[in-house]
Amino acid sequence: MDSSQLLGITTFTYLFASAIYIAALVFHNKRIALAGTLFTIGALLVQTAGLGLRWIESYQMGIGHAPLSNMYESVVFFAWVIVILYLGIEFKFKTRVIGAFALPLAFLAMAYASFAPIDKGINPLVPALQSNWLIAHVVTCFIGYAAFAIAAALALMYLLKSFTAGSDAVAGRFPALRTLDDIIHKCLVFGFIWLSAGIITGAVWANSAWGTYWSWDPKETWSLITWFVYAFTLHIRYTRGISGRAIAWLSLLGFLAVIFTYYGVNFLLSGLHSYA
């Protein structure tokens, strides 16, 4: 069995886990929810093995780099971090309802990696990627992106619950609005720290690769726009005490910026990051 097969199994296991979490939410059944957690942990272990095996395969091919060098590998890593962060939230806040919104994000990321017409091969690194800053930059950015993805899922839950005002039986099973708002805030702070680190490590990497810390490349520009969206969100929360729906809407807006920064820029705008 190779890494592609393991990661393929992961995709369908995340789909199954998502369905279990949604069923647990609809039927309000704790045993079904526990099954969702167990399937998610199992899928995470399989995905971890898949990532590790892909790294080993890279060395066996004489290439030898971490599985973070192209869109396929970065999206797989993105899904992996989403699941780790989600499980951390589940264990911390003792609620499995969030899985009905968070796990589908991991599944969609893996489904895109598996079925989209993108290069899935293990290829030699282009000169710009041959740097020790590659791992630091990609890891920090995608931890931040994953935190923002979880925040967006929570924001959607917040808005559904607040607009239905408890009249909807399913939304009524979500955590309390104050709890959702608190977790959204924590995810935004966590993601903002890692995104900031990602931009800094990227600047250092850019200087070693292209001789300048910042070149207003489309990827860099949109990363900065994304950073400002979240900086503004946290700023108005700290200085104006704004919370609730406004922060939820801004979390969704910020995640749209994340998606465009990573996906949209790669396909719609050419630049120094066109290999990504």
Side-chain angles (χ1 to χ4, degrees), residues 114-136:
S114 299
F115 303 116
I118 56 177
D119 183 11
K120 301 177 180 60
I122 301 174
N123 302 311
L125 296 176
V126 300
L129 297 178
Q130 296 173 6
S131 168
N132 292 328
W133 288 99
L134 168 66
I135 295 178

Side-chain angles (χ1 to χ4, degrees), residues 83-104:
V83 174
I84 290 176
L85 293 181
Y86 162 68
L87 287 174
I89 291 171
E90 180 181 306
F91 290 121
K92 170 71 175 177
F93 293 92
K94 311 297 182 188
T95 176
R96 295 189 169 95
V97 176
I98 299 169
F101 287 79
L103 252 292

Side-chain angles (χ1 to χ4, degrees), residues 13-276:
T13 312
Y14 282 151
L15 172 62
F16 194 54
S18 299
I20 294 175
Y21 274 120
I22 293 171
L25 172 62
V26 172
F27 297 107
H28 199 204
N29 187 303
K30 292 184 178 180
R31 290 185 178 180
I32 297 177
L34 175 60
T37 301
L38 296 176
F39 268 96
T40 301
I41 293 173
L44 179 65
L45 293 175
V46 173
Q47 187 178 12
T48 303
L51 284 168
L53 185 56
R54 188 175 177 90
W55 201 336
I56 294 172
E57 289 168 351
S58 171
Y59 276 93
Q60 290 174 338
M61 295 168 65
I63 298 174
H65 60 70
L68 299 166
S69 63
N70 57 26
M71 174 165 278
Y72 171 77
E73 293 173 342
S74 60
V75 172
V76 170
F77 180 74
F78 177 51
W80 187 70
V81 180
I82 286 176
V83 174
I84 290 176
L85 293 181
Y86 162 68
L87 287 174
I89 291 171
E90 180 181 306
F91 290 121
K92 170 71 175 177
F93 293 92
K94 311 297 182 188
T95 176
R96 295 189 169 95
V97 176
I98 299 169
F101 287 79
L103 252 292
L105 295 175
F107 162 68
L108 290 173
M110 288 300 298
Y112 177 79
S114 299
F115 303 116
I118 56 177
D119 183 11
K120 301 177 180 60
I122 301 174
N123 302 311
L125 296 176
V126 300
L129 297 178
Q130 296 173 6
S131 168
N132 292 328
W133 288 99
L134 168 66
I135 295 178
H137 176 57
V138 176
V139 167
T140 50
C141 281
F142 276 91
I143 291 176
Y145 290 171
F148 294 143
I150 299 287
L154 291 162
L156 183 58
M157 295 179 72
Y158 185 97
L159 294 172
L160 288 173
K161 189 178 180 73
S162 65
F163 281 116
T164 57
S167 61
D168 183 86
V170 175
R173 295 166 190 154
F174 295 171
L177 290 177
R178 179 175 296 182
T179 302
L180 288 171
D181 184 69
D182 179 54
I183 306 174
I184 291 170
H185 173 64
K186 287 181 169 63
C187 287
L188 293 180
V189 172
F190 184 79
F192 185 74
I193 292 171
W194 283 99
L195 177 61
S196 301
I199 291 175
I200 293 170
T201 54
V204 175
W205 181 16
N207 186 55
S208 65
W210 303 310
T212 177
Y213 288 99
W214 198 268
S215 55
W216 296 106
D217 171 77
K219 179 77 79 175
E220 295 172 349
T221 303
W222 273 95
S223 294
L224 191 61
I225 291 172
T226 301
W227 187 88
F228 273 115
V229 170
Y230 286 108
F232 173 75
T233 304
L234 294 173
H235 175 74
I236 62 171
R237 185 179 180 98
Y238 285 125
T239 60
R240 303 289 182 178
I242 295 175
S243 60
R245 288 181 184 175
I247 299 299
W249 282 116
L250 285 168
S251 297
L252 292 175
L253 176 64
F255 189 56
L256 289 177
V258 168
I259 293 173
F260 188 81
T261 298
Y262 185 62
Y263 185 84
V265 169
N266 285 1
F267 290 97
L268 300 177
L269 303 173
S270 62
L272 296 172
H273 288 77
S274 297
Y275 51 80

